[in-house]
Amino acid sequence: MRRHLIGISKSSCFSHVRARSLKRTNLSASQNRFSSTSTNGCELLMSSKQPVVSNTRGVQKAWNFDASGQPLFDETPAPSSADVVVIGGGSLGCSALYHLAKLGVTNTVLVEANKLTAGTTWHSAGLVWDLQPTDMETEIMKRSLNVIKGLERETKVNSGWVKNGGLFLASSQVRFDMLKRMATFSRTKGVEAILLDNRDTKKLCPLMNVDDLHGALYCPGSGTVDPAGLCNALSQVSKKLGAQVLEDCHFMDLKTTNTMMGRKKVSEVKTSRGDIKTNCVINATGVWANSVTSKVGLSVPLVAKKHAYVVTEKIPGIQNMPNVRDYDYSTYFRLQGDALCIGGYETSPVPIEKIALNIPFGLYDLDYEVFGPLMKAHVKRIPALQEVGIKFTVCGPESFTPDFKPIMGEDPAVDGFFHCCGFNSTGLMKGVGCGEQIAKWVVHGRPELAMFNYDVRRFYTPLLKDKHWVKARTHEAYVKNYSSIFPHSEPLAGRSKRRSPLHGALERVGCVFQERHGWERPGWFNEEPTPIQTYDWYGAYGHAINKDQRYVQAQKQECTFHFPAHQHLINAECEACRTAVAGFDMSYFGKFYLTGPDAARAADHLFSANMRRPEGSTVYTCMLNKNSGIEADLTVSIALRGRGSACDPRFHGIGYYLSVGGEATLQTYSHIVKEIHRHKWNVSLVNNTEDLAVLSIQGPKSRSLLSKLTSTDLSNESFPFSTHQVITVAGHKVRAMRISSVGELGWELHIPRRSALAVHKALKEAGEDLGYRDCGHRALDSLSCEKGYRLWHSDIRSDDTPLEAGLGFTCKLKTDIPFLGRDALEKQKAGGITKKLVTLTLGDPKTPLWGNEAIKRDGEYVGFVRRAEYGVSLGTSIACGYVRKPDNSVVDKGFLASGKWSIEVMCEEIPAELHLQHPFDPQGERMQGNY
């Protein structure tokens, strides 16, 4: 038997190495023998004795008989109907079916074209890391592990769980700062994580080279799990409770019926075993997800790539080693008995242009040109690998997404179609926890946890079918998977898809743009033009690196957990708003008109605030789910029929103009549409997002500036706070709203797109002697945080209620008007809240905060920082986060007003002050023009 050493260069033998047999206990003998074949143009190593099936799933039935006429597999017919059909028998499909059954939904069927795990689950590396970057993901892992650890007791089937710990390495100071942040965060979530110096790291991993390390983080609760054992155990429980699992059953088609507002609804799934009437489908087909979505005209942003790892021969002394994630080398090590499984993320991953539909337990040849640099990195970290042979290689298809996060949730265009795919090689690790959330999504209408980062609605829908955008953005996410996570870093790929009409003018004066929901929005203003460049793929695939690196350099300044080099420029923008007048381009905001005969009924139900107000009122409100979780916060302006422009359209009766943060545009729109369908209201919801620009003019001199350009009386008496009027500014009609996102005197101007540039130019010219300055959202976020204003999916989310967030004033509880979430809110009010959003300021003005720091009271961990900003007016950093009592009892004013408060920053405790009122202008005098 020829022996191949990891340390040998590819020129000597690597280019000729072929994968050897995989000895997995869950595969039959025929599934352990691989032979080279070609399927739909893809070179594969496939099982040589699989049942013969058609190469086009959904066109022909499988040929199910051997030469003697005996059936090769079960042909139990599909049920005629089901409450839920799960398509795909990997970790996500099995987990979803399991949790549906646990919720009492057992009239369900899982359809798998081959055998359970046969797609991509079977070749998973099986790594499980219990500490994750966010609280939601860490909770997902906690729930996953609780189920995994209990499955053997429940089923007598070994899930293959091995708790050998996990080790994160840091080869630079900034990386070690990230590990210190992770260690601090772990203490707020009850996850054991221990910072190690090089000596202790060496004791834990004697074969590892630690000379270049700055430190490491050890998580004893991490480990590995076996794909087959886990899926078999989950499916056994599901079947025992009444669910059906149909292996060797091909999905063929999906039928829908038309509903209101041009939408569709799932009605039937067609399979090779018969048709199933159903109103709910969970698409858990992983890399093949678009073969299902395409049946109903949908597309999910997935890119199939060849993803690989290598299993070594026996390594003396490797026993009991934890799994290792080596961030700076973009590699990982997993203990596999007395050997190692080694893999990572290449800079030039190989995309699969056309993924074959029927490749059960299939693999590709490993491309050593691509994988070679990772192997060299492995040898640097563990020199003993230089003399170790390769036992076998695994190179299989995996699906990756534009932000390296899964795609979950009900599609906004097709009722009853739930996505559960795109897990970026983490499907086995996160599958059980995410399976629970998708099951609750189906049964209860919303998940229990705040899942927006995974929700398909986080994407701007037209981009999902933009293949170039999906490929470029996914490539960048893949190669940056192990990069340090910085709060303000922006992608370089897939930019400039949606632009404000002011984009060019702002770019010329140094605007550094951020990307949100496809939009380019102003982030901050540099001292020179900093234009976004066409994506250069980091030089991969023969692309030349861009010569203009100004935007890249601006982004590199964000790669720190200290104040960035341009902090003084952001501070100057804040000061201009507080002392003179500032303009914020907020055109990326979502803008809708809700009109029609039932518009008032809809407004009563949808909005937590009282909308029974005079025409001309503008109201800040929340929209809640039935559990009183905050699904959106927005402003609603009550308007009458206009004259036909984008800022004052024609309609009958009372209308409601909605303005919502841009990232949540589709989330908000979908929430409203869902309720329209549920209640069958006779209303129209028109999306004017692209037709209107928004320019917010804020600051002590904002009235003086606008008065130069309009004849409208802007006094408090004629134009009070929280009202709006259609006025003329610089000769152009706009809808002006007297509101503020920063706590200053000001107006938001909602301007027809064609007029926006002219209005902006006039404001700049007229404001020159008043100190007018264009400002970005970095400044806006700082200013709003000082004032205590909330950002959705930051300090308020779908798992927070208005009472917990200090937004009880937005709820019409003093009226008898019913609204969505009212019952749950009244129940919570009667019982008291057990968590409360608080604002703290740091005692040390030189220390920045970025979020995920720990909040402590009298030395005990009581919460973590959800949102953090530097408050220029306050001269220190601000932290917003939810706190709980250690015994989880009601949080009252006495608890908040007493005790010694502090914030733990990278494992160092710093005194902090808790504010019972907003720290800046708590009475709101400035917004009234009282300076």
Side-chain angles (χ1 to χ4, degrees):
M1 182 176 65
R2 189 176 180 184
R3 186 167 185 258
H4 303 293
L5 301 181
I6 289 179
I8 298 176
S9 68
K10 69 175 181 66
S11 59
S12 59
C13 69
F14 275 178
S15 60
H16 305 296
V17 176
R18 297 189 57 84
R20 292 166 54 193
S21 297
L22 303 186
K23 297 177 181 178
R24 290 179 177 261
T25 58
N26 58 301
L27 303 184
S28 67
S30 66
Q31 291 166 339
N32 283 332
R33 294 192 290 271
F34 289 76
S35 63
S36 180
T37 187
S38 178
T39 304
N40 288 358
C42 300
E43 184 68 24
L44 297 165
L45 294 176
M46 290 183 59
S47 172
S48 60
K49 291 190 178 180
Q50 290 294 312
V52 180
V53 296
S54 67
N55 281 338
T56 306
R57 181 180 296 181
V59 176
Q60 297 178 345
K61 286 188 179 180
W63 296 96
N64 294 346
F65 303 94
D66 63 17
S68 65
Q70 295 299 312
L72 288 170
F73 43 75
D74 178 32
E75 281 202 308
T76 302
S80 60
S81 65
D83 292 331
V84 185
V85 176
V86 180
I87 307 175
S91 60
L92 270 303
C94 292
S95 297
L97 194 73
Y98 169 88
H99 285 291
L100 285 168
K102 287 291 187 176
L103 290 172
V105 181
T106 56
N107 181 23
T108 55
V109 58
L110 184 151
V111 175
E112 165 54 47
N114 297 287
K115 302 294 182 185
L116 294 185
T117 77
T120 61
T121 296
W122 76 277
H123 61 69
S124 169
L127 289 163
V128 177
W129 303 91
D130 60 343
L131 180 58
Q132 297 288 313
T134 69
D135 65 308
M136 178 272 286
E137 291 169 308
T138 301
E139 180 64 22
I140 287 285
M141 289 311 307
K142 178 180 178 182
R143 297 183 182 202
S144 291
L145 284 170
N146 285 342
V147 172
I148 290 170
K149 293 174 183 178
L151 274 174
E152 188 168 359
R153 292 191 301 270
E154 188 174 9
T155 66
K156 308 304 180 186
V157 175
N158 185 358
S159 67
W161 166 245
V162 176
K163 179 185 171 183
N164 62 313
L167 190 66
F168 301 97
L169 305 183
S171 300
S172 65
Q173 184 57 51
V174 71
R175 185 76 69 177
F176 191 54
D177 287 344
M178 187 189 81
L179 296 188
K180 288 191 289 185
R181 283 174 48 78
M182 291 172 63
T184 291
F185 179 62
S186 73
R187 296 164 190 171
T188 72
K189 306 309 296 180
V191 177
E192 187 177 6
I194 306 163
L195 285 169
L196 304 179
D197 59 20
N198 287 2
R199 184 175 62 178
D200 289 334
T201 302
K202 188 73 173 180
K203 288 180 181 177
L204 200 61
C205 304
L207 298 183
M208 184 183 295
N209 173 23
V210 301
D211 293 344
D212 63 331
L213 296 182
H214 285 244
L217 182 66
Y218 177 51
C219 297
S222 296
T224 61
V225 69
D226 175 63
L230 177 61
C231 291
N232 286 337
L234 292 169
S235 62
Q236 274 199 24
V237 175
S238 303
K239 289 186 286 187
K240 184 178 180 180
L241 293 174
Q244 284 187 264
V245 175
L246 298 181
E247 294 181 289
D248 305 306
C249 179
H250 292 246
F251 164 79
M252 300 178 73
D253 204 358
L254 182 61
K255 297 299 182 182
T256 60
T257 56
N258 294 326
T259 61
M260 299 172 63
M261 302 174 72
R263 290 163 59 90
K264 301 175 183 177
K265 181 179 181 179
V266 169
S267 61
E268 185 177 61
V269 175
K270 292 184 174 294
T271 79
S272 60
R273 306 262 194 97
D275 302 340
I276 309 170
K277 298 288 186 184
T278 187
N279 293 134
C280 183
V281 163
I282 298 176
N283 181 13
T285 55
V287 75
W288 294 276
N290 276 313
S291 69
V292 178
T293 61
S294 62
K295 301 295 185 182
V296 289
L298 301 176
S299 181
V300 285
L302 302 179
V303 174
K305 296 180 185 292
K306 295 179 181 180
H307 194 55
Y309 58 83
V310 166
V311 176
T312 72
E313 292 180 343
K314 182 178 179 179
I315 304 174
I318 206 70
Q319 292 82 0
N320 302 318
M321 174 179 166
N323 305 318
V324 177
R325 183 176 287 180
D326 194 345
Y327 285 113
D328 293 298
Y329 283 155
S330 197
T331 58
Y332 68 79
F333 302 83
R334 175 176 68 80
L335 187 67
Q336 183 152 320
D338 56 7
L340 283 181
C341 164
I342 58 178
Y345 291 85
E346 314 90 327
T347 57
S348 300
V350 180
I352 305 169
E353 295 300 330
K354 187 176 182 180
I355 182 74
L357 289 175
N358 285 312
I359 50 170
F361 304 102
L363 293 176
Y364 300 96
D365 282 333
L366 182 64
D367 187 336
Y368 283 89
E369 291 280 354
V370 175
F371 197 77
L374 295 181
M375 297 184 76
K376 291 180 180 179
H378 289 125
V379 171
K380 289 180 181 178
R381 183 59 62 209
I382 301 184
L385 289 173
Q386 180 76 21
E387 299 301 323
V388 174
I390 298 173
K391 191 173 184 179
F392 59 82
T393 68
V394 175
C395 180
E398 276 286 0
S399 59
F400 298 93
T401 64
D403 56 4
F404 230 73
K405 290 179 171 58
I407 297 170
M408 296 180 64
E410 189 173 22
D411 195 90
V414 182
D415 292 340
F417 189 101
F418 287 82
H419 302 279
C420 195
C421 54
F423 275 75
N424 307 278
S425 292
T426 65
L428 190 66
M429 177 171 67
K430 296 178 180 176
V432 178
C434 286
E436 178 193 30
Q437 294 306 305
I438 201 68
K440 291 182 176 180
W441 223 319
V442 168
V443 175
H444 302 308
R446 294 294 286 138
E448 179 186 356
L449 304 179
M451 300 292 289
F452 182 69
N453 282 345
Y454 288 7
D455 195 326
V456 68
R457 296 176 298 178
R458 72 188 186 270
F459 293 112
Y460 175 52
T461 302
L463 290 179
L464 304 187
K465 293 186 177 182
D466 184 334
K467 292 183 179 180
H468 179 77
W469 180 85
V470 172
K471 287 181 179 179
R473 196 64 158 258
T474 302
H475 171 263
E476 183 176 25
Y478 184 98
V479 300
K480 291 175 67 177
N481 180 39
Y482 279 2
S483 297
S484 293
I485 301 171
F486 299 103
H488 298 294
S489 61
E490 295 290 326
L492 303 179
R495 299 294 295 270
S496 300
K497 292 297 182 179
R498 306 173 80 187
R499 290 185 173 189
S500 156
L502 308 183
H503 184 97
L506 299 180
E507 184 179 72
R508 287 190 290 273
V509 294
C511 185
V512 179
F513 289 95
Q514 302 171 327
E515 189 270 350
R516 298 293 184 273
H517 210 58
W519 282 99
E520 298 296 338
R521 75 172 193 182
W524 54 280
F525 284 80
N526 206 350
E527 295 172 316
E528 64 172 349
T530 310
I532 300 163
Q533 301 297 307
T534 302
Y535 185 51
D536 61 13
W537 301 78
Y538 293 87
Y541 312 123
H543 290 271
I545 297 291
N546 288 326
K547 292 182 180 179
D548 188 340
Q549 292 286 299
R550 286 175 290 178
Y551 189 83
V552 173
Q553 292 303 318
Q555 288 303 303
K556 286 182 178 180
Q557 293 179 17
E558 303 284 10
C559 298
T560 178
F561 295 114
H562 302 283
F563 288 115
H566 54 263
Q567 183 65 45
H568 66 289
L569 297 175
I570 298 171
N571 294 352
E573 293 176 27
C574 294
E575 291 167 358
C577 185
R578 292 284 188 236
T579 61
V581 58
F584 299 90
D585 181 6
M586 301 168 67
S587 300
Y588 87 114
F589 265 43
K591 313 163 199 79
F592 315 118
Y593 278 95
L594 176 66
T595 62
D598 291 335
R601 289 176 58 196
D604 279 348
H605 175 80
L606 287 166
F607 306 125
S608 63
N610 189 356
M611 294 297 150
R612 298 181 183 181
R613 305 193 186 204
E615 182 274 331
S617 300
T618 294
V619 185
Y620 174 68
T621 183
C622 295
M623 291 198 299
L624 311 180
N625 55 43
K626 65 181 180 181
N627 297 320
S628 73
I630 301 171
E631 294 288 347
D633 73 323
L634 64 159
T635 59
V636 178
S637 297
I638 303 160
L640 293 176
R641 174 186 173 96
R643 297 188 176 183
S645 73
C647 68
D648 66 336
R650 293 188 179 95
F651 51 83
H652 295 290
I654 290 287
Y656 301 88
Y657 175 56
L658 284 54
S659 178
V660 61
E663 288 179 271
T665 297
L666 184 56
Q667 148 82 12
T668 304
Y669 183 86
S670 300
H671 177 78
I672 296 172
V673 169
K674 192 78 173 176
E675 292 303 309
I676 291 172
H677 284 199
R678 180 174 288 117
H679 296 275
K680 295 181 169 52
W681 292 316
N682 183 7
V683 297
S684 172
L685 183 65
V686 178
N687 189 343
N688 281 92
T689 300
E690 303 287 348
D691 303 322
L692 291 166
V694 179
L695 187 57
S696 184
I697 307 301
Q698 302 288 326
K701 299 179 182 179
S702 58
R703 180 182 280 142
S704 298
L705 171 56
L706 285 170
S707 295
K708 291 184 178 184
L709 301 173
T710 183
S711 59
T712 300
D713 185 353
L714 302 179
S715 66
N716 286 350
E717 295 73 23
S718 297
F719 206 142
F721 187 73
S722 289
T723 65
H724 66 97
Q725 299 178 32
V726 176
I727 67 174
T728 299
V729 176
H732 297 267
K733 185 185 293 186
V734 307
R735 186 177 296 275
M737 300 180 187
R738 175 105 185 260
I739 57 177
S740 178
S741 298
V742 295
E744 297 292 337
L745 174 68
W747 282 259
E748 274 186 16
L749 307 181
H750 294 240
I751 314 165
R753 189 177 184 92
R754 64 179 181 275
S755 299
L757 195 58
V759 171
H760 176 254
K761 181 180 179 182
L763 286 165
K764 286 198 71 170
E765 291 175 352
E768 189 172 354
D769 63 334
L770 298 173
Y772 174 90
R773 184 170 185 147
D774 287 316
C775 298
H777 280 73
R778 292 289 294 279
L780 188 150
D781 288 347
S782 168
L783 296 163
S784 70
C785 194
E786 288 183 327
K787 193 67 180 71
Y789 293 154
R790 307 307 182 203
L791 290 180
W792 191 80
H793 203 64
S794 178
D795 40 10
I796 53 174
R797 309 185 304 201
S798 61
D799 59 345
D800 306 315
T801 74
L803 298 179
E804 295 165 347
L807 296 177
F809 68 91
T810 70
C811 300
K812 47 182 177 266
L813 293 177
K814 293 182 179 180
T815 75
D816 60 359
I817 303 170
F819 61 93
L820 181 58
R822 176 167 187 153
D823 291 346
L825 202 63
E826 288 182 328
K827 183 178 179 180
Q828 186 183 53
K829 185 177 181 180
I833 57 174
T834 56
K835 71 173 187 179
K836 175 68 175 176
L837 180 60
V838 298
T839 299
L840 303 100
T841 51
L842 208 57
D844 177 7
K846 296 181 180 180
T847 299
L849 299 174
W850 304 109
N852 279 3
E853 294 85 4
I855 301 174
K856 300 176 77 172
R857 179 186 180 273
D858 292 339
E860 289 187 287
Y861 294 98
V862 293
F864 69 96
V865 178
R866 280 265 201 95
R867 178 186 175 192
E869 305 287 348
Y870 180 73
V872 176
S873 302
L874 303 176
T876 191
S877 293
I878 312 168
C880 301
Y882 290 82
V883 297
R884 296 178 182 269
K885 285 187 176 180
D887 63 0
N888 209 36
S889 61
V890 172
V891 175
D892 53 21
K893 188 175 180 179
F895 174 77
L896 301 176
S898 63
K900 180 182 178 182
W901 293 87
S902 61
I903 297 177
E904 187 175 303
V905 184
M906 291 193 282
C907 302
E908 293 185 14
E909 190 170 347
I910 300 175
E913 178 183 357
L914 185 143
H915 299 267
L916 296 178
Q917 290 185 304
H918 307 315
F920 181 81
D921 187 25
Q923 303 305 317
E925 293 292 330
R926 297 170 75 93
M927 291 186 295
Q928 300 297 332
N930 300 325
Y931 288 93

